[in-house]
Amino acid sequence: MSDKKASNQMWGGRFASGPAAIMEAINASIGFDRKLYAQDISGSIAHSEMLAETGIISAADQEKIAHGLNTILKEIEAGTFEFSTRLEDIHMNVEARLADLIGPAAGRLHTARSRNDQVAVDLRLWVKQECQRVAGALKDLIAAFLERAEEHAATVMPGFTHMQAAQPVTFGHHCMAYVEMFGRDLSRVRDAIERMDESPLGAAALAGTSFSIDRHMTAKALGFREPTRNSLDSVSDRDFALEFLSLAAICATHLSRLAEEIIIWSTPQFGFIRLSDSFSTGSSIMPQKKNPDAAELVRGKTGRVSGHLVGLLTVMKGMPLTYGKDMQEDKEAVFDAAETLDLMLAATAGMVRDMTVNAAAMKKAAGAGHATATDLADWLVRNLGLPFREAHHVTGRAVALAEEKKVALEKLSLEDLRSIHPGITDDIFSVLAVQNSVKSRVSFGGTAPSEVRKQIRYWKKRLAKA
């Protein structure tokens, strides 16, 4: 096929010659939108079935079209299909091949539709299916955290604010914090699926069509809840892509926060966890090194996902209704973000299940930095009736004395403590040990092992229904 012939088939009689090489390069999207081949073929089959059912095309032509499209699907999946940049995109590549296979009947397929609603439905289908994959990966990651939380519901570790040891918590409680974070990500995915579950097919170029089509039929055939309700919005809307990138960026941010903790925890200075060789690499020059490269790459890839969100927001901010070629920039951003997020989720679930927890190192660190000072203040309020601000002041003096004596807070003698406040009794030592501290935090959502196990049971039931 000559360049001129291919161009005229694509662009129609308005253009007497083919596009220049530069125009072809900037205009063609087949290099990346070929990923939509399955969705494009599914949409075309559904459209042809509707056209036949409504009497717009004959049943015989529809049968030829469906057979030809299924043949093309097999060719693409077998790797024998020849994609052409001269044919711009996946839609025209498929349609041109369909014409080769079945002849003039192929020309009837595009009745009552445009590439504008065609690409909208293809990408929306792809994003919806990707959201379902992400939901599955998030459920697996949450399950991995629940396993570790159950195992370490009573394993004491320091809790931090400002990266300074603050109060003792348990590693199980820390794991459950990520269950909450990734649970919200799962909720966002489910919400996004609900909002994008409308089919734009049949909106045509922008104004709908004069043919008596049945958009509810094609929506149902493609697994959508219903058709979209405004033809202008149908072809210009990319909220579903933006929302996917938004939830992907938030999820990636959560993954990055966890990756940062894994990196810190695995340093010799912390020694809280150890990753196996499966998720680590060595140094080319320092034989003693074991680098948490999987976690570092998860942390690094977050910027890539967030960048795609900013990029598409920037594309869409200046788009008047309805369609503009600028919107071709949506696909590479979505495809790359999806591939990146899938990999990040899989790697993170692997690291969570793989890590070896050093409970002794965690417990030792939990007692550092006078981490039970708040417990002392609470005891003074509860047992001596002091206002909290006064209790806070008394506790501060106790911490200063412990630092002066270079001992842990719980190592101060009763006489030392009574010199600060005479009402203190030896019962105070029941709350100054880190193990007792975490057991006392029985408020709903607190770090007490009993409360952690309660939340684990809740999330196991919730996950089973998700």
Side-chain angles (χ1 to χ4, degrees):
M1 181 185 297
S2 70
D3 286 357
K4 183 174 180 179
K5 184 178 179 183
S7 300
N8 287 339
Q9 283 185 340
M10 287 189 298
W11 296 42
R14 167 99 165 73
F15 294 86
S17 61
I22 293 174
M23 181 60 195
E24 182 178 289
I26 197 172
N27 190 52
S29 59
I30 189 60
F32 48 87
D33 71 13
R34 66 177 65 185
K35 192 182 284 283
L36 297 174
Y37 73 88
Q39 292 76 22
D40 192 69
I41 289 171
S42 294
S44 291
I45 291 174
H47 185 65
S48 70
E49 289 173 345
M50 180 276 296
L51 292 176
E53 182 68 22
T54 54
I56 296 171
I57 66 172
S58 69
D61 280 344
Q62 192 280 322
E63 186 176 342
K64 291 178 185 177
I65 289 168
H67 178 73
L69 289 170
N70 282 314
T71 299
I72 293 168
L73 179 64
K74 291 175 183 176
E75 290 177 350
I76 294 174
E77 291 179 342
T80 59
F81 187 91
E82 293 186 15
F83 292 98
S84 170
T85 58
R86 296 187 182 92
L87 292 170
E88 280 192 38
D89 53 34
I90 185 62
H91 323 299
M92 296 309 299
N93 270 263
V94 169
E95 189 170 325
R97 177 59 178 150
L98 184 64
D100 290 341
L101 290 171
I102 68 170
R108 301 189 184 281
L109 173 60
H110 210 53
T111 306
R113 76 172 182 184
S114 161
R115 277 192 293 176
N116 292 357
D117 62 335
Q118 191 178 357
V119 69
V121 75
D122 289 359
L123 186 59
R124 193 178 285 236
L125 264 177
W126 193 95
V127 173
K128 181 182 171 184
Q129 290 161 5
E130 175 60 23
C131 281
Q132 290 163 343
R133 284 191 289 271
V134 170
L138 281 167
K139 288 175 67 175
D140 181 61
L141 179 56
I142 291 169
F145 269 113
L146 289 173
E147 292 166 15
R148 302 320 299 265
E150 195 162 32
E151 181 184 355
H152 293 283
T155 300
V156 177
M157 71 173 289
F160 297 90
T161 61
H162 307 278
M163 271 306 290
Q164 304 293 315
Q167 291 178 295
V169 296
T170 69
F171 185 59
H173 191 52
H174 201 105
C175 288
M176 291 304 293
Y178 282 105
V179 168
E180 294 289 334
M181 291 164 72
F182 293 119
R184 291 193 296 273
D185 290 327
L186 180 58
S187 175
R188 271 184 281 272
V189 172
R190 298 295 193 204
D191 290 347
I193 291 173
E194 177 69 17
R195 269 185 294 278
M196 69 179 69
D197 204 16
E198 299 176 347
S199 172
L201 188 60
L206 77 161
T209 177
S210 59
F211 289 95
S212 298
I213 61 174
D214 186 344
R215 293 189 62 211
H216 288 83
M217 179 180 173
T218 51
K220 183 178 179 181
L222 293 172
F224 288 106
R225 182 182 65 250
E226 59 186 340
T228 52
R229 294 179 177 272
N230 182 280
S231 62
L232 295 172
D233 181 60
S234 298
V235 298
S236 63
D237 170 40
R238 291 299 182 271
D239 285 7
F240 63 92
L242 288 169
E243 192 162 3
F244 170 73
L245 290 174
S246 178
L247 69 86
I250 295 171
C251 181
T253 299
H254 290 159
L255 292 168
S256 184
R257 295 183 72 180
L258 172 61
E260 174 72 0
E261 294 207 303
I262 289 173
I263 293 162
I264 292 170
W265 292 344
S266 63
T267 61
Q269 290 78 11
F270 273 73
F272 287 2
I273 65 164
R274 182 177 177 83
L275 294 175
S276 75
D277 292 347
S278 299
F279 292 95
S280 307
T281 64
S283 166
S284 62
I285 191 171
M286 295 170 285
Q288 83 282 8
K289 291 289 296 298
K290 188 170 186 178
N291 302 321
D293 281 9
E296 291 174 355
L297 287 165
V298 167
R299 184 177 61 181
K301 288 179 183 296
T302 299
R304 183 168 170 173
V305 177
S306 299
H308 286 314
L309 170 60
V310 174
L312 187 55
L313 282 168
T314 305
V315 168
M316 294 303 299
K317 74 168 185 65
M319 292 294 300
L321 295 180
T322 56
Y323 181 82
K325 199 71 175 204
D326 319 42
M327 292 162 74
Q328 187 166 286
E329 294 297 310
D330 57 3
K331 296 167 201 62
E332 287 180 285
V334 167
F335 295 156
D336 187 72
E339 184 177 335
T340 302
L341 184 62
D342 289 347
L343 184 56
M344 291 169 72
L345 284 166
T348 302
M351 285 188 287
V352 170
R353 289 192 170 99
D354 174 84
M355 66 175 66
T356 300
V357 176
N358 187 341
M362 286 185 172
K363 185 176 182 180
K364 182 179 179 181
H370 313 297
T372 56
T374 306
D375 297 275
L376 172 55
D378 289 347
W379 187 92
L380 292 168
V381 171
R382 188 167 48 248
N383 292 273
L384 302 185
L386 270 62
F388 184 79
R389 287 303 174 197
E390 184 180 344
H392 186 281
H393 178 70
V394 171
T395 301
R397 290 173 59 197
V399 169
L401 181 59
E403 289 181 344
E404 181 184 326
K405 289 177 171 286
K406 294 182 171 55
V407 296
L409 190 60
E410 66 268 23
K411 297 300 182 182
L412 288 174
S413 68
L414 183 59
E415 290 71 22
D416 288 332
L417 292 168
R418 280 178 170 166
S419 71
I420 298 168
H421 194 288
I424 294 176
T425 69
D426 59 2
D427 181 62
I428 192 68
F429 296 106
S430 67
V431 301
L432 292 184
V434 293
Q435 205 75 41
N436 292 333
S437 174
V438 297
K439 285 181 181 178
S440 72
R441 306 290 174 179
V442 293
S443 57
F444 186 82
T447 193
S450 59
E451 185 61 26
V452 172
R453 293 187 180 101
K454 185 188 299 181
Q455 296 303 326
I456 291 170
R457 290 193 294 272
Y458 163 81
W459 268 101
K460 281 186 173 180
K461 290 178 182 177
R462 180 170 167 179
L463 196 62
K465 297 177 182 178

